[in-house]
Amino acid sequence: EKGPLSVAPSSAAPCGRPPARAASAAAAGAMSAASAALRALLTLALAASAEGAYGYGSGKKSKFLEAYPMIFKFFLFWWCVVVFVVMGVYIADHLLFKRFGSAKVAFSVERTFKGSSKADGRQTIWDQLADPAKWSPQHPVLQSADVRMVRCVPEADKGGTAGDEEPPVEGILADEPMPSARLQPVDLQPLQAGLGFILRHKSDAGPRAGRFYCARECTKMETPKDGPWRFVMRTVEVGIGYPYDPQTEESEVEVHPPAEDGGVRCVISGSSTVRSRLFRWWNSLEPNAAFGASSMLQTIEEELLSAKKKD
């Protein structure tokens, strides 16, 4: 009768196997069986140790953590539960990314500007969206970031910083992202395809003050005589604090012809992606993006109404 570590004779090997290889296979089988037996003995030893430590099967109450107060045990238990739940959420989030790819962030807001004349109402609103040369210092874009207008030149060398300028703030790290030399500074002027902005954190942004946030390029500009005027902006380079996947953020602005009552309908929509659905939810990326666009339109309308009253 074979014992637990007995080895099958070499004749049990497949037909045609050379004797040397058969012997090697038999030895490998013996080692595998011995390893399995050793693992079984180790498992039994650990189980016996656990039984002795915790009193399982002995009819005695476990003395594990007996010296600690009940309140400590209570918080320790729920701490472990919270840790396992958080780990499970992160694992699920990672698996969702592996299975379905990045999560989409999309929004769309619209606002109808009232009190505009049919003659120049749309042009006035359009200038506040697409002509930085006519923006006042209180414009919402200028209030939210330091803006520098650039021309995006695809064939230019991407080495160095924009326009070969010196870093604007001290303490820039060697590996910190900076705008490339393909972004050539120009004077403020109406947007057109190929022009864009370098956006930097404002001076009151704490440790990020003055650091590169992102660069956006106008990829499409349409101003037909009939129908809505529209332009599209796309993020082409990213820096510190940028939340979305690089090269995925795109926004579109539409300004429709005036209605019979002089109202001008404006629509802003955008889309991008992020790797983490948990990050998208935790930071409320979609609601915040929609709120930011809506607030910008509201501020522009209030500024235009205020300027109209002064006139």
Side-chain angles (χ1 to χ4, degrees), residues 156-169:
D157 180 16
K158 293 186 179 180
T161 58
D164 295 326
E165 64 178 0
E166 293 294 326
V169 293

Side-chain angles (χ1 to χ4, degrees), residues 8-26:
S10 60
S11 59
C15 298
R17 173 176 293 184
R21 295 185 61 182
S24 176

Side-chain angles (χ1 to χ4, degrees), residues 170-252:
E170 296 180 357
I172 296 292
L173 302 178
D175 59 346
E176 186 169 321
M178 296 288 291
S180 68
R182 66 181 289 261
L183 305 175
Q184 301 177 355
V186 297
D187 294 332
L188 291 178
Q189 56 189 283
L191 274 174
Q192 56 182 296
L195 294 180
F197 304 107
I198 290 177
L199 303 178
R200 296 184 183 274
H201 293 279
K202 296 287 286 185
S203 58
D204 58 354
R208 294 178 177 176
R211 282 171 161 77
F212 175 53
Y213 177 68
C214 74
R216 310 207 72 203
E217 177 186 5
C218 177
T219 59
K220 185 179 294 185
M221 176 69 66
E222 299 176 352
T223 55
K225 184 177 180 180
D226 299 321
W229 295 348
R230 61 190 294 266
F231 67 90
V232 177
M233 299 291 291
R234 182 172 63 91
T235 300
V236 292
E237 297 182 17
V238 301
I240 300 297
Y242 183 78
Y244 308 111
D245 293 340
Q247 304 288 334
T248 65
E249 185 187 12
E250 188 172 272
S251 56
E252 179 179 327

Side-chain angles (χ1 to χ4, degrees), residues 52-282:
Y54 298 103
Y56 296 143
S58 63
K60 298 180 180 179
K61 187 177 180 180
S62 172
K63 296 183 179 181
F64 182 63
L65 296 178
E66 184 179 14
Y68 296 92
M70 182 59 66
I71 188 66
F72 174 80
K73 300 176 186 178
F74 174 82
F75 282 109
L76 180 63
F77 169 77
W78 285 108
W79 169 256
C80 293
V81 171
V82 170
V83 169
F84 277 105
V85 169
V86 171
M87 289 176 58
V89 170
Y90 272 96
I91 291 172
D93 184 55
H94 181 71
L95 292 177
L96 286 172
F97 168 72
K98 287 291 187 181
R99 177 66 178 85
F100 300 105
S102 296
K104 188 173 183 180
V105 179
F107 72 93
S108 180
V109 298
E110 65 176 76
R111 189 178 187 87
T112 300
F113 290 80
K114 301 293 186 179
S116 301
S117 65
K118 296 183 66 175
D120 60 354
R122 178 162 71 158
Q123 183 62 53
T124 302
I125 297 169
W126 178 258
D127 290 342
Q128 292 300 307
L129 295 168
D131 189 354
K134 296 183 179 180
W135 294 352
S136 71
Q138 287 72 40
H139 192 279
V141 174
L142 300 181
Q143 287 290 313
S144 62
D146 291 334
V147 180
R148 185 169 190 176
M149 198 162 194
V150 294
R151 185 180 302 278
C152 305
V153 185
E155 64 272 12
D157 180 16
K158 293 186 179 180
T161 58
D164 295 326
E165 64 178 0
E166 293 294 326
V169 293
E170 296 180 357
I172 296 292
L173 302 178
D175 59 346
E176 186 169 321
M178 296 288 291
S180 68
R182 66 181 289 261
L183 305 175
Q184 301 177 355
V186 297
D187 294 332
L188 291 178
Q189 56 189 283
L191 274 174
Q192 56 182 296
L195 294 180
F197 304 107
I198 290 177
L199 303 178
R200 296 184 183 274
H201 293 279
K202 296 287 286 185
S203 58
D204 58 354
R208 294 178 177 176
R211 282 171 161 77
F212 175 53
Y213 177 68
C214 74
R216 310 207 72 203
E217 177 186 5
C218 177
T219 59
K220 185 179 294 185
M221 176 69 66
E222 299 176 352
T223 55
K225 184 177 180 180
D226 299 321
W229 295 348
R230 61 190 294 266
F231 67 90
V232 177
M233 299 291 291
R234 182 172 63 91
T235 300
V236 292
E237 297 182 17
V238 301
I240 300 297
Y242 183 78
Y244 308 111
D245 293 340
Q247 304 288 334
T248 65
E249 185 187 12
E250 188 172 272
S251 56
E252 179 179 327
V253 178
E254 290 185 350
V255 180
H256 292 255
E260 291 298 326
D261 60 354
V264 178
R265 178 169 169 260
C266 180
V267 180
I268 299 180
S269 58
S271 64
S272 57
T273 64
V274 291
R275 293 172 60 91
S276 170
R277 287 159 176 80
L278 178 63
F279 177 80
R280 179 184 64 178
W281 168 77
W282 182 261

